[in-house]
Amino acid sequence: MHFVVCAKQIPDPETPPSAFKIDESKNEVVPAPGISPVLSQFDAIAAEAALRIKEASGDAKITVVSLGQESAQAAIKQVLAMGADEGLLLDDPAFLGGDSYATARTLAAAVEKLGDVDAVFCGRQAADWDMGQVGLGVATLLGWPAAIIAKDVQIADGQMTAQRVMPDGFETVQMPLPAVVTVSNELGDPRYPKLQQIMQAARKTVTKWGAADLDLDPSTVGAAGSRLKLERLFIPQVSGEVELIEGDTAQEQAAGLVAKLREAKIL
Amino acid sequence: MARNVLVVGELDGGEVDSTTAELLAAGSRVADGGSVSVTLLGSQAGAAAASAFAAGAQRAFVGADGAYDEFRPDQWTQAVSASVEQSSAEVVLMAQSSVGRDLGPRLAFGLDSAVAMDCIAVADDGGTLTVTRPCYGGNANATYSFATSPAIATVRAKSQDPLPPQAGASGETVELPAAGESRSTIAGRELAVAEGLQLQEAPIVVSGGRGLGGPEGFEMMEEFAATIGRDKAAVGASRAACDLGWYPVSQQVGLTGKVVTPDLYVAIAISGASQHMAGCSGSKTIIAVNRDPDANIFNASRWGIVGDYKDVVPALIEALKE
Ligand SMILES: Cc1cc2nc3c(=O)[nH]c(=O)nc-3n(C[C@H](O)[C@H](O)[C@H](O)COP(=O)(O)OP(=O)(O)OC[C@H]3O[C@@H](n4cnc5c(N)ncnc54)[C@H](O)[C@@H]3O)c2cc1C
Ligand SMILES: Nc1ncnc2c1ncn2[C@@H]1O[C@H](COP(=O)(O)O)[C@@H](O)[C@H]1O
């Protein structure tokens, strides 16, 4: 079997809010100094899901695919170090500035070119734009069935079985391969690569494909092929000043707070 | 500019749910003289049409096939695509719910258009439809316009005000065909039986974080909530606490958990990461207890106590009893 893991490199989502800056003239996030970009967390979990199936079944190849610039090699290498077999970077100036549609279209073209793919694993959402649609986009463009927000994924007998997280539990859904699944953190923590695996991954060569390799017309990908036009990116205002309730003891503080809440008729 | 709007309804028994009513209000606002239609699917769909008309719909596309009672994405996508076509919809709104998260992208890619997920505003900006949605874990908001039609948006619950209900309002009903093929099957479902006050309905939410140090801390949160009143306060948790197994994931508040909008949100030993705030920043009042005076949670709070929750929470419980 052949699995594809879609992995995106993003600005570290745990950047403290105080270090988060936007250049409003360009509608762009300004990279926080000293904070390196990371592999989007849910994509590491998607890789974990694929690796667990590979280990259980014994014969599967995993290709990790990232659409990004040269720096995205680091995200690819991280998934290779976790145990993926091959890396593929989709890098072309024509791909820059793409929205979810352009991204899904490019990733779907890569899956098609790989040819023998049985399942695609994505994160439930990339933790930069928090969109949560590229996995379903790839599935729809390829004409494959899909399950989203999975906390467990099994593949056997030509079927994918996924447990989809619901607001108050989960639902088990089944569909024939080839299929797409998007994975959520309830699946469990992704594995830490061992030092030796990190060194091996560093030596692996990553294949690079551009628009021409994928037979994609540059006007249908990247910013040119995007359908959502970003008009404005801004930091929302948070209202008000906090009043810290002072007191010599916790009892005094607590009584002060309860009095405020009662005065404001909140309690 | 007049535009035809289609809302994908979700049912709560024999009526449309409260989010559908909010979407119909937002839809009526941006329709600007265009038509406002709703798609209703499931065995109760016919009965629910009246509630959709009362909430602002002029026409209902009704698929009363019982197969629609369970959400199977292929079947729902087909039914909604058919309604988009028949209503010549230029704007499609649905909830950022289990259904909307799955349906929105399938519909957009299937119709060769685009969707913006988890929007908190839908507006007519000088003739152009725009949507605004939080991104970067809640650190930023992005406003988009659409280069293709229909413009599709999933919209966050409680972000829109419903219209005053127009009792007795009527509209046209159009029948949709029976459900088509589904490539996926639902093999089982395990849902926790919802007991007592639901997190998203509670007027007061008391949430605990990693700083509680263990599951015992949540026993204290439950005692705290019970002291406020079991009919008023529910207990929530940060993702860090849920991931550690201290509290059920169903109670997680935040970007990847539940979005709550209570009158009062009490954050105990929670740092206030943007992804957590994404789930509670719509609360009317936030108060926090944290031993770190620089914790980000205080930036969003009206009142706060700097201290160890092990001292402060028992004192709050005592003060409430007085
Ligand atoms: C894509 C993505 C999605 C996410 N989704 C969510 C989500 O839905 N919900 C969510 O909550 N998080 C989410 N997170 C995680 C989020 O970034 C934070 O890591 C998480 O919210 C931290 O939880 P916390 O505040 O409980 O823990 P911490 O950040 O560790 O904070 C613990 C706090 O407790 C305080 N404290 C410690 N001991 C005490 C004491 N004895 N008394 C008083 N105070 C004490 C500390 O000062 C600290 O402020 C997401 C992250 C990503 C990247
Ligand atoms: N540039 C990219 N490269 C590789 N995978 C991506 C990229 N963008 C999105 N994805 C995949 O699609 C998922 C959902 O992304 P999104 O719809 O942008 O939230 C991510 O978790 C990834 O698995």
Side-chain angles (χ1 to χ4, degrees), chain A residues 13-14 41-42 127, chain B residues 209-211 238-240 252-257 269-273 275-276 290-292 295 307-309:
Chain A
E14 315 240 351
Q41 210 178 33
F42 298 115
Chain B
R210 175 156 40 202
S238 72
R239 178 168 138 195
Q252 180 183 317
V253 172
L255 182 67
T256 47
I270 290 177
S271 61
Q275 295 90 354
H276 184 80
N290 198 300
R291 70 176 178 202
D292 172 8
D308 191 324
Y309 87 91

Side-chain angles (χ1 to χ4, degrees), chain B residues 93-118:
Chain B
L93 304 177
M94 65 189 84
Q96 171 77 358
S97 58
S98 289
V99 168
R101 284 175 208 267
D102 211 337
L103 180 64
R106 292 178 196 263
L107 190 70
F109 282 83
L111 294 173
D112 203 18
S113 188
V115 63
M117 307 296 290
D118 200 15

Side-chain angles (χ1 to χ4, degrees), chain A residues 1-5 50 53-54 60-63 118-119 121 155:
Chain A
M1 280 188 298
H2 188 180
F3 301 152
V4 161
V5 172
I53 299 168
K54 176 180 161 146
K61 177 168 97 174
I62 300 178
T63 302
D118 298 286
F121 293 74
I155 287 181

Side-chain angles (χ1 to χ4, degrees), chain B residues 127-222:
Chain B
T128 305
L129 182 91
T130 62
V131 295
T132 298
R133 53 181 302 278
C135 53
Y136 286 90
N139 277 318
N141 280 357
T143 300
Y144 295 96
S145 63
F146 293 79
T148 47
S149 179
I152 305 172
T154 70
V155 179
R156 192 177 280 193
K158 302 215 173 85
S159 63
Q160 313 293 313
D161 291 322
L163 298 168
Q166 300 153 283
S170 62
E172 183 198 346
T173 300
V174 182
E175 260 179 62
L176 291 171
E181 295 280 302
S182 170
R183 290 168 296 178
S184 62
T185 51
I186 301 172
R189 193 177 278 132
E190 268 181 50
L191 300 182
V193 195
E195 272 173 29
L197 185 61
Q198 297 300 293
L199 193 60
Q200 283 154 302
E201 306 303 328
I204 299 178
V205 173
V206 177
S207 285
R210 175 156 40 202
L212 292 183
E216 323 75 57
F218 279 95
E219 285 166 24
M220 199 191 279
M221 294 305 110
E222 281 172 359

Side-chain angles (χ1 to χ4, degrees), chain A residues 6-8 43 65-67 103 107 122-123 125-126 131-134:
Chain A
C6 294
K8 186 177 189 188
D43 300 355
V65 181
S66 188
L67 168 60
T103 302
L107 290 171
C122 289
Q125 65 200 55
M131 242 337 160
Q133 57 165 297
V134 164

Side-chain angles (χ1 to χ4, degrees), chain B residues 69-114:
Chain B
D69 287 340
E70 290 179 318
F71 173 73
R72 287 186 202 78
D74 288 343
Q75 296 175 335
W76 275 61
T77 307
Q78 281 168 29
V80 175
S81 301
S83 336
V84 169
E85 205 169 294
Q86 290 183 52
S87 63
S88 311
E90 294 150 291
V91 179
V92 183
L93 304 177
M94 65 189 84
Q96 171 77 358
S97 58
S98 289
V99 168
R101 284 175 208 267
D102 211 337
L103 180 64
R106 292 178 196 263
L107 190 70
F109 282 83
L111 294 173
D112 203 18
S113 188

